[in-house]
Amino acid sequence: MRVYLEYLGDSVELPFGETLVGRDVGCTLRLNDPSVSRRHLRVIRRASEVFVEDLGSSNGTLVNGRALTAAIRVVDGDRLALGTRELIVRVPEEDSEAGPTLNLKDLSELSAKVSRGELRQTSRLPVTVPPPFAGDQRCPRCAAVVSATDDECPSCQYRWGAFRASAITAEKPNPLSRRRFERHPIELHLVYVSSELEIEATTRDLSENGVYVCTQVLDPLGTECQLTILVDGGPPIGVRGIVRRVVEREEEGRDPVGLGIEFLEVGAAERAWLRTIVTRIASLAAVEA
């Protein structure tokens, strides 16, 4: 017998034993909602039975509209309301085909590292931006500031002759920087691990081939990393990536301080989930527009 939890049309298969549901990084099934407690609900799957138990959550749990006060058995079609989120228990017939799913992972070790302070949590902190450079160039003799149109240094009267360019070279877009997939703004939690860092951060943009990680703690270009993306209402997505962009200073209208990660290895099931997430975001954006 297979048991699934359905959320927003996606199905997550429950393993045997306990599955923690909540807002905490270490929960096996994570819901990014302030009305959901960090450790909200425990789902216990045995041979042919499934039980749910509220873990003393702030807003409680409803099973088919009734408050959950003790561990009870649930069956196919039962609805679990956690804050503003709803999960549906699905126990399909043995001969029916289930949709694509990802296996849930045990993230209890991540939760333990956060509690012990071993996994640093980064946030978007204000960055002090230095004042703009007062001039375009400097005199090769006295290092005084000169403009792009000066033929003579106003400080030491040094003249640099006709070799100097009369106009500033126009910048052209780099064709190699074109992205294969469109980026979509979305904030998800993730765990970033490299040979030097192990941090919890948030995303700014997501596409099928990469993600932008907002973090004040930076790795150099070319650093390979392992990402665990904590999808709202779905299993965590594990991908291997490489740092392709480093933003050390926040500028108005541009990306905040962080790392641009290109995905190197993404499994077929993970790729399908990423495509689903990105498609859903694009659809919501189109409706709001």
Side-chain angles (χ1 to χ4, degrees):
M1 182 186 73
R2 290 188 172 185
V3 180
Y4 301 88
L5 286 181
E6 182 180 299
Y7 175 75
L8 295 178
D10 295 326
S11 297
V12 180
E13 184 175 358
L14 288 176
F16 287 102
E18 296 184 356
T19 297
L20 290 180
V21 182
R23 207 176 71 249
D24 190 80
V25 173
C27 285
T28 315
L29 184 59
R30 189 173 176 280
L31 297 172
N32 189 25
D33 186 332
S35 65
V36 176
S37 296
R38 292 188 178 277
R39 293 166 60 90
H40 196 113
L41 183 72
R42 187 197 338 259
V43 183
I44 306 170
R45 182 187 171 191
R46 295 177 180 170
S48 59
E49 296 178 316
V50 180
F51 297 85
V52 294
E53 178 186 10
D54 186 89
L55 298 176
S57 62
S58 300
N59 295 315
T61 303
L62 301 179
V63 179
N64 298 327
R66 295 186 177 183
L68 179 61
T69 57
I72 64 170
R73 183 188 176 202
V74 292
V75 296
D76 181 54
D78 282 344
R79 296 177 178 268
L80 313 176
L82 294 74
T84 62
R85 308 303 173 94
E86 183 180 74
L87 305 174
I88 304 175
V89 180
R90 295 298 186 194
V91 187
E93 298 294 335
E94 293 185 2
D95 56 351
S96 64
E97 294 184 1
T101 62
L102 283 173
N103 294 326
L104 290 173
K105 301 176 182 179
D106 182 9
L107 300 181
S108 57
E109 181 59 26
L110 290 180
S111 181
K113 287 183 177 181
V114 172
S115 62
R116 294 195 299 262
E118 299 175 7
L119 190 66
R120 289 180 288 177
Q121 184 173 11
T122 66
S123 58
R124 300 179 187 179
L125 302 177
V127 179
T128 302
V129 180
F133 183 53
D136 299 308
Q137 299 182 25
R138 291 185 180 271
C139 172
R141 173 183 289 177
C142 68
V145 173
V146 297
S147 71
T149 58
D150 286 337
D151 295 325
E152 180 181 286
C153 174
S155 178
C156 68
Q157 286 73 50
Y158 175 78
R159 297 183 63 87
W160 33 80
F163 72 90
R164 186 175 182 184
S166 60
I168 299 175
T169 303
E171 295 185 2
K172 296 182 179 180
N174 183 358
L176 297 179
S177 65
R178 296 174 183 171
R179 301 183 179 94
R180 290 176 291 164
F181 297 96
E182 184 179 358
R183 284 168 46 170
H184 297 279
I186 179 174
E187 183 173 316
L188 296 172
H189 290 267
L190 59 77
V191 175
Y192 171 98
V193 179
S194 68
S195 59
E196 299 294 332
L197 297 178
E198 189 168 352
I199 58 176
E200 179 190 354
T202 58
T203 68
R204 173 183 171 90
D205 295 303
L206 178 69
S207 72
E208 291 184 38
N209 72 312
V211 66
Y212 190 85
V213 180
C214 299
T215 171
Q216 300 291 319
V217 187
L218 305 175
D219 265 334
L221 286 172
T223 302
E224 293 194 7
C225 57
Q226 183 68 36
L227 302 179
T228 302
I229 303 174
L230 306 175
V231 179
D232 181 30
I237 297 176
V239 297
R240 193 170 69 85
I242 185 171
V243 177
R244 294 299 192 191
R245 183 175 175 227
V246 179
V247 178
E248 298 180 348
R249 187 179 66 193
E250 186 170 2
E251 298 180 7
E252 186 177 357
R254 297 191 176 185
D255 288 327
V257 177
L259 302 171
I261 309 297
E262 178 187 355
F263 297 150
L264 295 180
E265 291 183 3
V266 184
E270 286 80 2
R271 177 74 67 184
W273 273 80
L274 278 173
R275 188 175 295 114
T276 299
I277 295 168
V278 170
T279 302
R280 185 178 297 159
I281 296 169
S283 300
L284 290 175
V287 171
E288 294 176 356

